[in-house]
Amino acid sequence: MITACIFDLDGVIVDTAKFHYLAWKRLAEHLGVEFSEEDNEHLKGVSRMQSLEYILLKGGIQISNEEKLRLATLKNEWYVESIKHIDTTEILPGGEELLKDLKKNQIKISLGSASKNAIAILNGIGLMSYFDFISDGNSTDKSKPDPEVFLIAAKGMGKLPEECIVVEDSIKGIEAAKVGGFRTLGIGDAEVLSDAEYIVKDLAQVSWEELNNWYNKTKNI
Ligand code: BG6
Ligand code: MG
């Protein structure tokens, strides 16, 4: 039986991935670097500083640590501005229903997000009370695909990695979960997330019962 789930936030529960994309695109263009949706796939799940490093590397730009901090802060200001009125309308399909279903079945729930803005967003969309534990961008400096953010989440719930399903929309996040020994549910495009064990379009496509059946059937494979 599953006993715990760890949810990524951006692009899984809430439709903020598009705002991250727009803010990074704006910053990249500000630096004269082209930035496509394909580039953005590499940044999903990746920390703010690591994302900036990707853009600098792509543009062959070398700057001081102080300047890096200034640019990362600028991107974050644009991002925070775009989500300042965030509310329940930005919750992705099935998000609240699945959290409710899991809670009803006594499943422990943790966040496992790279974002330092996670708590503000969860409060903004009114879903904070579903979470037993928060592991986010303030919990560790290690960026996915390092599994640290998920390991902190599992420990915070008193669970082992193999007892937890990690729910992720990013390639780096699925990779992190697999490295950490977690079960994986990919949310989004099956071609992009082909490394996930189980993939659905959005959270409206799964219930606690389906997740539990899948977990039990595939546990020792
Ligand atoms: C992840 C997003 O959840 O958080 C990334 O997928 C983002 O796009 C990262 O860069 C860090 O977010 P923040 O809010 O701390 O800049
Ligand atoms: Mg995500």
Side-chain angles (χ1 to χ4, degrees):
M1 218 178 90
I2 60 164
T3 59
C5 282
I6 301 174
F7 285 85
D8 173 49
L9 180 68
D10 300 309
V12 168
I13 290 177
V14 66
D15 201 8
T16 38
K18 63 185 182 206
F19 297 123
H20 277 297
Y21 169 58
L22 291 174
W24 282 125
K25 193 171 170 59
R26 185 172 169 191
L27 190 82
E29 285 168 3
H30 174 76
L31 296 169
V33 181
E34 259 184 61
F35 189 76
S36 64
E37 289 202 28
E38 207 209 313
D39 288 313
N40 192 53
E41 283 305 322
H42 297 279
L43 300 196
K44 284 187 182 171
V46 174
S47 73
R48 200 180 302 165
M49 285 315 279
Q50 287 296 114
S51 299
L52 175 64
E53 294 287 359
Y54 175 94
I55 291 170
L56 295 175
L57 188 69
K58 190 176 180 209
I61 301 169
Q62 288 184 2
I63 50 172
S64 65
N65 286 343
E66 211 178 30
E67 183 61 0
K68 284 181 189 172
L69 201 60
R70 191 189 72 79
L71 291 174
T73 304
L74 183 61
K75 181 269 171 180
N76 190 54
E77 282 167 8
W78 290 336
Y79 173 67
V80 168
E81 176 65 24
S82 64
I83 59 163
K84 76 174 179 212
H85 299 303
I86 199 157
D87 60 18
T88 54
T89 59
E90 297 292 344
I91 298 174
L92 285 163
E96 182 155 20
E97 291 76 3
L98 182 61
L99 291 172
K100 211 177 264 173
D101 194 15
L102 293 172
K103 267 269 149 290
K104 198 176 78 195
N105 289 286
Q106 281 92 47
I107 307 300
K108 288 259 183 231
I109 302 173
S110 175
L111 194 75
S113 165
S115 176
K116 292 182 195 281
N117 294 299
I119 289 182
I121 293 173
L122 279 179
N123 283 325
I125 60 176
L127 298 185
M128 189 66 187
S129 61
Y130 288 100
F131 288 82
D132 298 294
F133 192 80
I134 300 291
S135 176
D136 65 9
N138 302 300
S139 312
T140 174
D141 283 336
K142 293 187 186 159
S143 184
K144 298 170 190 174
D146 190 293
E148 185 79 356
V149 74
F150 297 139
L151 293 171
I152 292 171
K155 199 167 171 207
M157 295 187 289
K159 302 288 177 186
L160 295 170
E162 60 265 33
E163 294 177 294
C164 307
I165 298 178
V166 166
V167 189
E168 257 293 348
D169 71 317
S170 72
I171 302 167
K172 294 281 193 308
I174 294 291
E175 198 184 328
K178 294 188 96 166
V179 171
F182 295 87
R183 306 298 309 273
T184 51
L185 170 63
I187 303 298
D189 187 336
E191 274 178 35
V192 177
L193 298 173
S194 55
D195 283 343
E197 291 174 77
Y198 183 11
I199 306 165
V200 291
K201 183 167 69 71
D202 56 43
L203 296 177
Q205 317 303 317
V206 274
S207 61
W208 164 80
E209 196 177 358
E210 281 158 337
L211 273 183
N212 198 38
N213 287 343
W214 161 71
Y215 178 91
N216 290 335
K217 244 192 291 171
T218 53
K219 199 158 60 156
N220 298 317
I221 292 176

